[in-house]
Amino acid sequence: MIQQVNRTPTRKIKSARSHAERLAIYQRGKDFRNQMLKDKGSWSYDWRISLNDLERNHDPHSSQIEVSCATPEPPRSTAAPRNVRADQIPPPAVWTVSSFYSFVVRLATSKVDRLISRKIYSKGEVHVSAVADILANLFADPTLKFVVSTEAGNRALQFLFDNGKFARGRGLFGQLQELQKDKDPATYNIMLGAAAKQKDLHSFTYILKTMITYGVRPDNKTWFSLAQVVREDEVRMVIIGRMAKLGLLSDLATMKEAVALLMPQWVLKWLDSGKDPQGLLEAMDHQYGAQWCSERAAESMINEFGVRRSIREALIIQDKLYDRGYQPTRGILLLLLRQCAWSKAHELMVEILGFFRIKYKVKPSKQVYDSLFKQVWKSGLYNCSRVLWIYTCIQGHTTFDMQEKVRKSLYAARCTSVAGQSRSKAWEESAGKVITGHGPRNNTARFHAMMSLWNLREPSRQARDGFLRAVRRILDGDLGAVGQYHISKPLDELLSEALRADRRWALARALKDVPIECKHSQVIDVPLVAKSPLQTSDVPEESSADWTVDNAVASALSDEKGRAVPSGRCWMSPETRVRPCTCPAYVKQGLGASSNTTMVDGHQEQDQQAGAASSATA
């Protein structure tokens, strides 16, 4: 059972500067330092020095990637905790080498969902930072230095570097050196891999020198780290060539890793020569054998074909690999969808989703949903955004960026000058209000209660507080619908319908001049089926008491002269409207669901009939 806590932050909250800005500032400072060292002619930036060190000190018996470099799997008793605070994970009763390693594994593998994190952590606290603090205290405790093992240190180092805690990782490596637990090649390979990830050849050279000084022999992973840290493709090919001369590519896993590194150069040279793209597969078979393909090699090949030629050719290559027995992954699907986002090929995006679902049986991942949502959100597609928002909420795949986009749109203030409003500004203030509101406690009445408060020109403090409460209820209702429904149609079919609806909307009229209520009433419906009738039977109807105060505030302020904003005119034509419109302009003029009159190009047939009747009378 999850317990909500209200604790004061244990550490000082950082500034409002985003993580991306802090990372960019750090990168600029590091580049400046590296450039200063290059200008001074520092030897640590010569990749040939590291290459010569590897040739002189490599282990001739390590012709394959050692499996021992990976830390052993934890026993079943140390299952990964989920949705638990880091400081509430119980330590072992008796500290031994095995129990210490198991506790480190439990900390490193613990996960907390984003929605749960807001309830169990205070503002300014992050689960990853909390785990990093506990790991630092564990290895710094002098009473536990006799139970610290190399495997536990490797697991903690890998966790810190995978989550961007580079300073903490370097500090932990220093502690392992003091405890003399750094004599394993896996420990240095983790450090070298972190330097390669940052493209920091300066740090790589010094770590490799330290590794050789302490008598630790480099293995194949060390060679691949050097190939990844360099930026030039020609240098990378030289390093792989040296590995081939030394006989290090005789192992199948090592050969696959080398092919994945050289794949961009292979594709570039093949396309520059003007040869048939499909002939590249036969050339790779002739050079490396029939078992050269790996997940990284396939992703690299398809990405290069999609970027340099076309997405269609990348799909053909993927189909050829599938015929050879290679099953595509979600990573390849994500690469293709991102390339569709660059070219704004929405129809091709839907086609790829259906192709992967029907033929390859590949389901979208959380990253795929996030990429799709960013694409349709940036393109200003209301119906597609609603379909993806509902899908991610039902399946619990909403990311932080998605929630922030929708939350900012819901809280966006109304623009005072609609005539001079840009399309992006209109989308920012209306998208979140149109696509939300599908949870078990959300319906049309709740949406209109929120909009009645949002449309006030000069709202009081009581009205503003009521609007904020309404937004929180709608957003919590959507995010709280995880696992309560299943959707009867596949995602690609619903997105195809939504894309056609968005095309009709774009042809009807400029969307920035359309009332939000009108868009909300005509947005596409997503068929939801409750998994159990008991989950929705206890949900009260909308006429409950929680909206009494908000409705009273809205009606009181609307009665004052000059306080309410005019509603405007309904824009829906019979070809565009999918159901009777419920926007204020449509209902106010007596054209609700019970009326037989319709709206044509923003004008009333009722007015036309009245004009014809008056002419006949005259």
Side-chain angles (χ1 to χ4, degrees):
M1 183 177 180
I2 300 174
Q3 298 180 356
Q4 296 189 8
V5 295
N6 294 322
R7 301 184 180 182
T8 57
T10 57
R11 54 188 177 85
K12 186 178 180 180
I13 300 176
K14 296 183 178 179
S15 62
R17 185 179 294 161
S18 64
H19 175 70
E21 293 177 350
R22 294 196 300 269
L23 187 61
I25 293 174
Y26 169 75
Q27 187 66 33
R28 287 196 298 268
K30 190 181 72 173
D31 292 342
F32 177 76
R33 183 204 67 181
N34 294 344
Q35 189 63 40
M36 292 287 293
L37 292 173
K38 284 184 179 181
D39 295 340
K40 293 180 180 179
S42 177
W43 56 269
S44 61
Y45 278 94
D46 192 349
W47 56 270
R48 292 170 295 184
I49 294 178
S50 298
L51 181 60
N52 293 332
D53 290 340
L54 287 177
E55 286 182 328
R56 289 194 302 265
N57 298 277
H58 84 283
D59 189 359
H61 301 289
S62 63
S63 60
Q64 60 181 0
I65 297 180
E66 298 292 340
V67 181
S68 61
C69 294
T71 54
E73 292 296 326
R76 292 188 177 182
S77 60
T78 59
R82 191 171 185 86
N83 297 330
V84 180
R85 284 179 57 95
D87 53 4
Q88 293 181 357
I89 299 177
V94 179
W95 289 102
T96 61
V97 175
S98 177
S99 63
F100 183 86
Y101 170 73
S102 299
F103 184 58
V104 171
V105 171
R106 294 191 67 192
L107 288 172
T109 57
S110 61
K111 302 292 182 182
V112 175
D113 297 336
R114 190 171 298 277
L115 296 178
I116 306 299
S117 178
R118 296 189 302 173
K119 299 180 180 180
I120 64 177
Y121 281 105
S122 305
K123 185 177 180 181
E125 292 182 328
V126 183
H127 179 71
V128 174
S129 301
V131 172
D133 294 338
I134 295 177
L135 289 175
N137 295 331
L138 277 178
F139 286 91
D141 192 350
T143 61
L144 299 178
K145 63 179 181 179
F146 299 104
V147 296
V148 175
S149 62
T150 304
E151 291 78 11
N154 293 345
R155 198 60 180 262
L157 280 175
Q158 194 67 57
F159 169 81
L160 294 174
F161 287 128
D162 288 345
N163 291 276
K165 304 293 183 180
F166 295 99
R168 288 289 183 87
R170 289 189 289 268
L172 178 59
F173 179 71
Q175 294 176 356
L176 293 177
Q177 285 182 320
E178 293 179 0
L179 298 175
Q180 298 183 355
K181 302 295 183 181
D182 60 332
K183 305 305 180 182
D184 187 11
T187 306
Y188 286 94
N189 284 331
I190 293 173
M191 297 293 297
L192 294 172
K197 185 183 297 183
Q198 292 187 304
K199 300 294 182 181
D200 192 353
L201 184 58
H202 173 74
S203 299
F204 184 92
T205 305
Y206 275 100
I207 295 173
L208 182 60
K209 286 288 186 181
T210 306
M211 178 180 183
I212 296 173
T213 302
Y214 282 95
V216 182
R217 304 291 292 273
D219 57 6
N220 288 357
K221 284 190 175 182
T222 313
W223 283 83
F224 286 125
S225 297
L226 177 60
Q228 293 173 358
V229 75
V230 295
R231 300 178 183 270
E232 297 81 6
D233 297 334
E234 293 79 6
V235 176
R236 191 174 294 112
M237 296 185 70
V238 169
I239 296 172
I240 299 299
R242 294 287 183 90
M243 293 181 66
K245 288 182 179 180
L246 294 174
L248 301 179
L249 301 183
S250 58
D251 179 60
L252 180 60
T254 306
M255 184 266 294
K256 287 185 176 182
E257 187 74 16
V259 171
L261 287 174
L262 297 178
M263 184 57 66
Q265 291 77 35
W266 265 96
V267 176
L268 181 60
K269 290 183 178 181
W270 191 267
L271 294 180
D272 290 342
S273 62
K275 299 179 182 180
D276 182 18
Q278 301 183 25
L280 177 60
L281 300 179
E282 286 75 12
M284 299 293 293
D285 292 341
H286 178 73
Q287 181 71 21
Y288 300 104
Q291 298 181 346
W292 59 269
C293 186
S294 62
E295 181 177 344
R296 286 187 57 194
E299 290 181 1
S300 180
M301 176 182 287
I302 293 174
N303 181 63
E304 293 296 327
F305 272 104
V307 171
R308 302 183 184 278
R309 295 297 289 267
S310 67
I311 305 177
R312 296 287 183 183
E313 289 191 4
L315 287 173
I316 294 174
I317 296 297
Q318 170 56 57
D319 202 39
K320 293 291 184 181
L321 292 175
Y322 179 75
D323 295 338
R324 290 165 168 255
Y326 174 75
Q327 178 66 26
T329 60
R330 295 176 179 178
I332 294 180
L333 176 60
L334 181 61
L335 285 174
L336 294 173
L337 293 178
R338 284 177 176 173
Q339 292 168 5
C340 292
W342 298 336
S343 58
K344 295 185 178 180
H346 304 301
E347 289 81 3
L348 184 57
M349 171 194 73
V350 177
E351 182 181 346
I352 291 174
L353 281 173
F355 190 70
F356 271 70
R357 176 182 63 86
I358 296 173
K359 185 171 183 178
Y360 303 144
K361 311 299 181 185
V362 176
K363 297 181 180 180
S365 61
K366 191 173 185 178
Q367 291 77 15
V368 171
Y369 282 120
D370 183 68
S371 178
L372 290 172
F373 189 80
K374 289 179 180 178
Q375 179 178 350
V376 298
W377 184 275
K378 187 177 181 180
S379 301
L381 303 178
Y382 286 96
N383 293 276
C384 292
S385 299
R386 177 174 174 82
V387 168
L388 286 169
W389 174 253
I390 293 177
Y391 252 91
T392 53
C393 288
I394 295 301
Q395 298 183 7
H397 289 330
T398 54
T399 61
F400 177 76
D401 293 337
M402 295 171 60
Q403 295 179 27
E404 282 299 302
K405 290 179 185 296
V406 175
R407 184 180 291 108
K408 289 180 180 179
S409 180
L410 284 171
Y411 285 123
R414 191 184 190 282
C415 183
T416 56
S417 177
V418 181
Q421 190 179 24
S422 63
R423 180 180 179 273
S424 60
K425 183 65 178 178
W427 168 263
E428 180 182 352
E429 74 175 23
S430 63
K433 302 175 181 64
V434 173
I435 70 175
T436 55
H438 61 83
R441 295 179 180 272
N442 291 331
N443 54 23
T444 307
R446 175 167 287 191
F447 166 77
H448 286 300
M450 176 188 69
M451 293 304 299
S452 63
L453 296 169
W454 185 75
N455 281 325
L456 297 178
R457 180 176 298 169
E458 298 177 3
S460 63
R461 181 176 180 179
Q462 185 181 7
R464 288 194 296 267
D465 293 342
F467 171 74
L468 297 179
R469 290 196 304 270
V471 169
R472 284 194 295 268
R473 288 166 183 163
I474 289 180
L475 191 59
D476 292 342
D478 286 357
L479 298 177
V482 179
Q484 297 184 6
Y485 302 93
H486 66 84
I487 304 176
S488 58
K489 285 187 177 181
L491 176 62
D492 54 285
E493 295 182 5
L494 274 176
L495 280 178
S496 180
E497 297 178 8
L499 191 59
R500 290 195 296 268
D502 284 318
R503 296 291 185 251
R504 292 195 301 268
W505 282 29
L507 294 174
R509 190 176 174 180
L511 292 180
K512 70 183 185 69
D513 300 328
V514 177
I516 297 178
E517 295 86 350
C518 195
K519 298 175 187 176
H520 186 272
S521 64
Q522 299 300 316
V523 75
I524 188 173
D525 281 334
V526 178
L528 300 178
V529 180
K531 290 186 176 180
S532 174
L534 298 176
Q535 293 179 350
T536 56
S537 59
D538 297 334
V539 177
E541 297 295 331
E542 193 52 45
S543 59
S544 56
D546 60 346
W547 286 106
T548 305
V549 177
D550 296 339
N551 286 327
V553 173
S555 60
L557 292 179
S558 299
D559 291 338
E560 297 184 19
K561 185 177 181 180
R563 299 294 290 274
V565 177
S567 300
R569 174 174 288 181
C570 179
W571 70 290
M572 286 292 175
S573 62
E575 294 80 8
T576 308
R577 189 170 59 249
V578 296
R579 64 185 67 87
C581 190
T582 58
C583 72
Y586 195 75
V587 177
K588 182 179 179 181
Q589 297 166 0
L591 302 174
S594 61
S595 176
N596 295 325
T597 58
T598 57
M599 301 292 292
V600 180
D601 296 332
H603 299 282
Q604 305 175 25
E605 288 185 359
Q606 187 178 12
D607 294 341
Q608 299 176 1
Q609 296 173 1
S614 60
S615 300
T617 304

